[in-house]
Amino acid sequence: MRMYDIIEAKRDGHELTDEQIAFFVRGYVAGKIPDYQVSALLMAIFLRGMTDRETTTLTLEMMNSGDVVDLSALPGTTVDKHSTGGVGDKTSLAVVPMIAAMAPGEVFVAKMTGRGLGHTGGTLDKLESIPGFNCSLAEDAFIGCVRAHGGAIIGQTGNLVPADKLMYALRDVTATVDCIPLIASSIMSKKLAAGSNCILLDVKVGSGAFMKSVPDAIELAETMVAIGEGMGRRVEALITNMDRPLGRNIGNALEVAEVIDTLAGHGPDDLTHEAVMLASELVALTGICSRNEAERRARAVIADGSALAKLKEIVAAQGGDTRVIDDPSLLPQAALSRTVTAPRDGFVAHIDTEQVGIASAQLGGGRLKIDDDIDHASGIELLKNYGEAVREGEAVAVLFANDERKLAEGAATFEAAISYAGAEPPAEPLLYATVTRDGVQRA
Ligand code: URA
């Protein structure tokens, strides 16, 4: 078999065989096929697409390119939640302790997570703003922590899906990221290798997401649900709004503080609503109770403080300083701040959410390359979100940084990302649709 023939076949619109897909994934990971040939194939896939069978085969080959985590030693159902990436999306940090508190001894959350890249944040970076928090537990320590506390969150272990690490880096520099079969195989190979029985996918759609339209987001969700269900896992996807930042805080330590507030019952409505929705959907997916009962439990663990206590327990188990849970002002604080004000009376009529994410990265909270250092204290506190009324000169946001140049750069990007109008803009839903093995249900 020759890589040249595989590229040519896909270039000419043919369906690749399982053997051809195995040849290129295994050959690339083994260092036998050069980047330039894989780049050419990725572009051919981007332009020609893949059938469901090709996408499933690609996912399985990628999953099997490295370690596959075995969670079978845990005495209950294992669950995982994944977001396709957004701005201010800190729901994983809230949902893990909520679920651990909602179904102790029955449902276990073994969450492997990633770093932020470009305009999107990453749960790992947020957690690392908690002094001492250890995201690199070895597999047995990780499983021990999940067993003892009902949940744990770590970074992807070194040899999980090496094919994705290599291909993602190549896609990032060859304009082949936003391609449904490539995104679906990238996400699902990692979720399947991470070992959980039930997986909830939060597929973001809008100006701050990879998917810009609801039909594209549904197609991506359907592809991922079919792959996971075909592998014997229970998988569901929620299509949620990323045309505005989620919650009010964007940036690592700021987002941890907002999660603490939310679990204490004082969070912003949109974030609280979405965390409750995700936690109840995932617990219901395990089959241990109805969706209504799961939602009752999700609200109860916030109201009675057990979700916040569970977060503290998990932080302690992973070596973090639990004093930050009682006093979030102990999280890293920026030396500099700047208040952005409204130029006119009216409403926040549009937020270019991707640009807001870029502004947060420019303030110091994000990275352009995966190994760039980040400043955990920097970020944005949004005082007015989409649809809220403003008066001329009223504060819309406070920006935080530790460097004057970064503060000025982030402020310029942020100000250009917000538009105002005299009329109140239409209300937008948080949830557009739910995708299950039984089909698509519009919200
Ligand atoms: N997230 C991933 O893990 N992979 C993609 O391709 C896109 C988003």
Side-chain angles (χ1 to χ4, degrees):
M1 203 174 281
R2 293 191 317 161
M3 186 64 182
Y4 181 94
D5 300 321
I6 299 174
I7 298 168
E8 186 179 53
K10 185 46 75 181
R11 182 200 68 190
D12 294 344
H14 299 297
E15 187 175 3
L16 301 180
T17 65
D18 292 350
E19 291 71 28
Q20 286 174 314
I21 293 171
F23 177 86
F24 105 74
V25 174
R26 293 176 199 185
Y28 187 41
V29 173
K32 292 182 188 154
I33 299 176
D35 284 352
Y36 55 82
Q37 283 191 308
V38 177
S39 302
L41 180 60
L42 291 170
M43 185 55 82
I45 292 171
F46 182 93
L47 295 171
R48 292 291 194 171
M50 280 187 136
T51 63
D52 290 346
R53 186 197 51 74
E54 286 176 296
T55 308
T56 299
T57 304
L58 176 60
T59 307
L60 299 190
E61 282 297 330
M62 289 171 71
M63 172 184 105
N64 288 321
S65 67
D67 299 340
V68 174
V69 180
D70 180 5
L71 297 176
S72 59
L74 290 165
T77 305
T78 46
V79 300
D80 198 352
K81 173 250 168 210
H82 181 82
S83 160
T84 55
V87 176
D89 180 6
K90 67 276 291 173
T91 52
S92 289
L93 277 182
V95 164
V96 171
M98 283 174 73
I99 292 181
M102 284 162 69
E106 283 186 290
V107 177
F108 294 86
V109 204
K111 175 104 186 86
M112 285 195 186
T113 187
R115 299 198 178 282
L117 190 60
H119 75 280
T120 63
T123 303
L124 213 52
D125 297 323
K126 296 171 200 185
L127 279 169
E128 283 178 352
S129 59
I130 301 175
F133 194 94
N134 180 5
C135 296
S136 329
L137 301 179
E139 192 175 316
D140 51 349
F142 172 55
I143 293 176
C145 191
V146 176
R147 182 197 295 275
H149 306 287
I153 313 180
I154 58 167
Q156 254 173 244
T157 55
N159 197 35
L160 200 89
V161 196
D164 183 60
K165 288 198 188 85
L166 291 168
M167 280 167 52
Y168 198 93
L170 216 48
R171 286 167 58 209
D172 211 24
V173 292
T174 56
T176 50
V177 169
D178 49 347
C179 164
I180 287 176
L182 296 179
I183 296 176
S185 53
S186 164
I187 292 176
M188 289 310 291
S189 59
K190 288 176 287 198
K191 292 292 106 185
L192 295 170
S196 288
N197 311 121
C198 295
I199 301 163
L200 183 66
L201 303 164
D202 182 7
V203 179
K204 298 282 179 204
V205 61
S207 64
F210 281 115
M211 295 291 113
K212 304 293 183 204
S213 77
V214 173
D216 280 353
I218 289 179
E219 188 185 335
L220 174 62
E222 286 178 317
T223 307
M224 294 195 289
V225 168
I227 293 170
E229 289 279 346
M231 285 292 292
R233 315 284 174 94
R234 289 306 330 273
V235 186
E236 238 181 65
L238 302 183
I239 312 293
T240 62
N241 187 332
M242 192 31 74
D243 260 327
R244 48 182 279 177
L246 187 61
R248 300 219 173 254
N249 289 5
I250 302 144
N252 299 295
L254 288 164
E255 294 192 37
V256 171
E258 192 170 40
V259 166
I260 294 169
D261 260 6
T262 302
L263 295 182
H266 314 304
D269 288 349
D270 59 345
L271 177 60
T272 305
H273 182 85
E274 194 154 321
V276 166
M277 178 170 74
L278 291 164
S280 8
E281 203 68 41
L282 190 41
V283 167
L285 185 63
T286 68
I288 65 158
C289 65
S290 68
R291 174 71 174 70
N292 281 348
E293 166 60 12
E295 187 166 334
R296 189 199 63 73
R297 291 190 198 184
R299 293 193 187 286
V301 295
I302 293 180
D304 68 13
S306 53
L308 188 59
K310 186 56 84 174
L311 176 65
K312 197 170 183 177
E313 190 183 317
I314 293 171
V315 168
Q318 295 194 230
D321 182 350
T322 56
R323 289 175 304 167
V324 303
I325 308 291
D326 301 318
D327 181 3
S329 72
L330 295 173
L331 287 162
Q333 303 287 321
L336 307 171
S337 68
R338 181 182 297 190
T339 300
V340 174
T341 57
R344 53 170 289 182
D345 287 355
F347 293 86
V348 177
H350 177 72
I351 299 181
D352 184 332
T353 308
E354 180 169 347
Q355 289 302 311
V356 171
I358 289 171
S360 175
Q362 288 169 332
L363 291 167
R367 54 173 73 77
L368 297 174
K369 294 196 296 332
I370 202 73
D371 49 2
D372 285 346
D373 281 338
I374 59 167
D375 171 8
H376 291 98
S378 63
I380 299 166
E381 186 183 354
L382 206 57
L383 303 172
K384 300 285 178 186
N385 207 330
Y386 173 82
E388 290 185 64
V390 289
R391 310 285 305 173
E392 184 182 340
E394 191 179 356
V396 170
V398 184
L399 312 187
F400 298 96
N402 280 307
D403 174 309
E404 286 288 1
R405 189 188 52 78
K406 290 182 179 177
L407 187 58
E409 194 184 6
T413 304
F414 178 82
E415 291 192 49
I418 311 288
S419 314
Y420 304 87
E424 187 172 0
E428 285 191 347
L430 273 181
L431 175 71
Y432 291 106
T434 305
V435 179
T436 70
R437 60 186 177 185
D438 300 321
V440 180
Q441 223 185 344
R442 299 268 174 178

